[in-house]
Amino acid sequence: MWFLEQGQDLNQVLAYISGATSSKSGVSLVYTMPSQNVSLRLQGLREKDSGSYRCSVNVQDHEGKNRSHGSKTLELSVLVPPAPPSCRLLGVPRVGTNVTLSCQSPRSKPAAQYQWERAPPSAQVFFAPVLDAIRGSLSLTNLSSPMSGVYICKAHNEVGSAQCNVTLEVSTGPGPAVVAGAVVGTLVGLGMLAGLVLLYHRRSKALEEPANDIKEDATAPRTLPWPKGSDTISKNGTLSSVTSARALRHPQGPPRPGALTPTLSLSSQVLPSPRLPRTDGAQPQPISPSPGGVSSSTLSRMGAVPVMVPAQSQAGSLV
């Protein structure tokens, strides 16, 4: 009888008892029984057929009694060629940068060894230290445009091999990250500029609105009221004497004999400027006022206050 031991499991794969043979699929004896050689044949081996095979022989006499017993164990390891590997490019292939070419086979027994080479027309075989034959990686540093091409990875072991390839295209322009950063920076700059312009317009508008608004509740400017009494105004505007009604009010009681009683009137006559006659060595004599007006000294004694007013030309404009 043959048994397969895998870890803690023990399974019978073939038995020959009393001239009858029973076995699992793909398992048979090399020689026809009865024979002293009980070698086992396995067909269509798979990786799961690996394990420890034990042969146990019992020798019986004619009466069916066991005369002897023996056993032998053989170790079987089924080798598996590498499955087709997967090739990848790690990094951004731009001029001056570094990239890594990766190659891995998902199944191989024993573990596969890896070899990288560059396909024609620029054929090249790589070795350590740029090549890691165990991990299947190829490191390319300081890329340049002539390094572009097809790179082939071969995975191999004692029973077979498989391969894959990857195309390396070294670009000279900026990478996607640089372009994306430039676009984002431009958008942010435009947004900030638009915000500053909007803020400037709002502040300008806020400064203009108070100047253009007419406040309904604003108090009108005060104007000096004209005295209700008699006023004497010079048409040429050089000097005016305004006499208030309070100063020209009649004194209480009867007037004294010989006293002058001022008459309230508004003179529209131009008061002539007093002119002093030019005499040699003689003191200037005061000129009596015109009969129709009141002298300035009299107005002063009566409490009048001199007021300066703008001069007016003949055309009517202020000078």
Side-chain angles (χ1 to χ4, degrees), residues 63-215:
E63 295 178 358
K65 295 180 180 180
N66 294 332
R67 295 176 57 183
S68 63
H69 173 77
S71 65
K72 187 69 174 180
T73 301
L74 299 174
E75 191 72 27
L76 176 64
S77 178
V78 179
L79 302 182
V80 179
S86 175
C87 293
R88 293 185 302 165
L89 171 64
L90 306 178
V92 180
R94 288 187 292 110
V95 172
T97 61
N98 305 332
V99 297
T100 299
L101 304 182
S102 174
C103 178
Q104 286 293 323
S105 174
R107 184 179 67 257
S108 176
K109 188 178 180 179
Q113 298 288 316
Y114 299 93
Q115 178 65 51
W116 278 96
E117 62 183 35
R118 187 176 178 183
S122 301
Q124 184 180 2
V125 178
F126 299 94
F127 301 95
V130 295
L131 173 66
D132 189 337
I134 303 300
R135 294 184 175 87
S137 61
L138 176 65
S139 299
L140 301 177
T141 60
N142 195 18
L143 292 180
S144 60
S145 297
M147 297 175 69
S148 300
V150 178
Y151 290 76
I152 301 173
C153 172
K154 291 183 179 180
H156 58 88
N157 63 8
E158 294 124 355
V159 292
S161 65
Q163 67 179 33
C164 64
N165 62 74
V166 62
T167 301
L168 176 65
E169 294 182 1
V170 181
S171 62
T172 58
V178 177
V179 175
V183 172
V184 172
T186 303
L187 293 178
V188 171
L190 291 177
M192 294 179 64
L193 180 60
L196 292 176
V197 172
L198 181 60
L199 179 61
Y200 174 77
H201 282 295
R202 286 185 176 180
R203 293 189 64 180
S204 300
K205 186 176 180 181
L207 294 175
E208 292 177 358
E209 285 181 354
N212 296 333
D213 290 344
I214 300 177
K215 297 182 179 180

Side-chain angles (χ1 to χ4, degrees), residues 2-5 40 51-55 72-76:
W2 283 94
F3 299 91
L4 174 59
E5 184 177 358
L40 189 67
S52 298
Y53 286 82
R54 181 187 300 174
C55 176
K72 187 69 174 180
T73 301
L74 299 174
E75 191 72 27
L76 176 64

